Amino acid sequence: MSERPELVQVQIWERYMVYDPAGGKTAAKDKRRSRAACVTYGQDEWGNVFVCDAWANNDPVERRIARIVEDWLLWQPIWLGVEVAALQEEIRRLFAIVAAQKGIQIATVPIPVPKDMDKDYRIKTAIRPLMAAGKLFVPEHLAELRSE
């Protein structure tokens, strides 16, 4: 029987959220309906990246925004990144309205998107170096994210 590794408490210094309101072309190629996705992650002082939470769904935008506000209050990230595009700009404005109604501030940050680069390629080139260096940690309960 193998021994369980000793658990080490890690102080995550900074947390961030990234939201993509639409799943993009890849989902359409897979003949699936595009899904919105949100990832909350933190980084420690050594550059290790820890996924705190992640989800993807086809819920109505009102439900997704309510979920993001709940996640914002739970994880208290520094900012919420939203890709720059016409629809995403509208979503950023909607977050500002909802946050004001709830009496909180959600700092949204536009994330520029290179038009000549596929979304899957952008994601892979960001994640692979972290994985290769052993610096990306995804909890077991996020099985769908781990499989992607």
Side-chain angles (χ1 to χ4, degrees):
M1 196 165 17
S2 64
E3 290 184 35
R4 287 185 70 176
E6 184 179 329
L7 296 178
V8 177
Q9 187 171 359
V10 176
Q11 175 66 43
I12 299 175
W13 295 103
E14 300 175 341
R15 284 181 297 277
Y16 308 92
M17 264 178 138
V18 180
Y19 174 60
D20 181 5
K25 294 177 186 173
T26 303
K29 286 180 191 173
D30 291 342
K31 295 186 169 76
R32 296 179 306 182
R33 198 170 148 210
S34 292
R35 299 181 302 161
C38 186
V39 176
T40 305
Y41 64 96
Q43 188 169 0
D44 68 13
E45 62 188 298
W46 298 283
N48 295 308
V49 175
F50 300 86
V51 176
C52 303
D53 194 17
W55 53 266
N57 62 41
N58 292 318
D59 287 351
V61 69
E62 299 84 9
R63 248 189 249 154
R64 286 185 266 143
I65 288 176
R67 169 87 186 262
I68 289 169
V69 169
E70 287 175 22
D71 290 350
W72 181 269
L73 294 170
L74 174 66
W75 296 107
Q76 300 178 356
I78 293 171
W79 50 254
L80 167 66
V82 182
E83 288 187 354
V84 176
L87 173 63
Q88 283 85 344
E89 188 59 34
E90 290 298 317
I91 295 289
R92 287 181 62 229
R93 286 192 205 116
L94 188 53
F95 278 120
I97 292 166
V98 170
Q101 290 171 345
K102 297 213 177 263
I104 61 174
Q105 284 191 314
I106 296 179
T108 58
V109 174
I111 298 175
V113 179
K115 293 182 183 184
D116 60 340
M117 207 181 292
D118 177 65
K119 180 181 286 194
D120 283 344
Y121 178 78
R122 289 193 325 264
I123 293 169
K124 288 175 184 173
T125 56
I127 292 175
R128 281 191 177 147
L130 291 169
M131 291 173 65
K135 291 185 167 285
L136 179 64
F137 301 90
V138 181
E140 293 290 329
H141 74 276
L142 296 175
E144 185 178 358
L145 179 63
R146 292 175 69 88
S147 70
E148 291 185 22

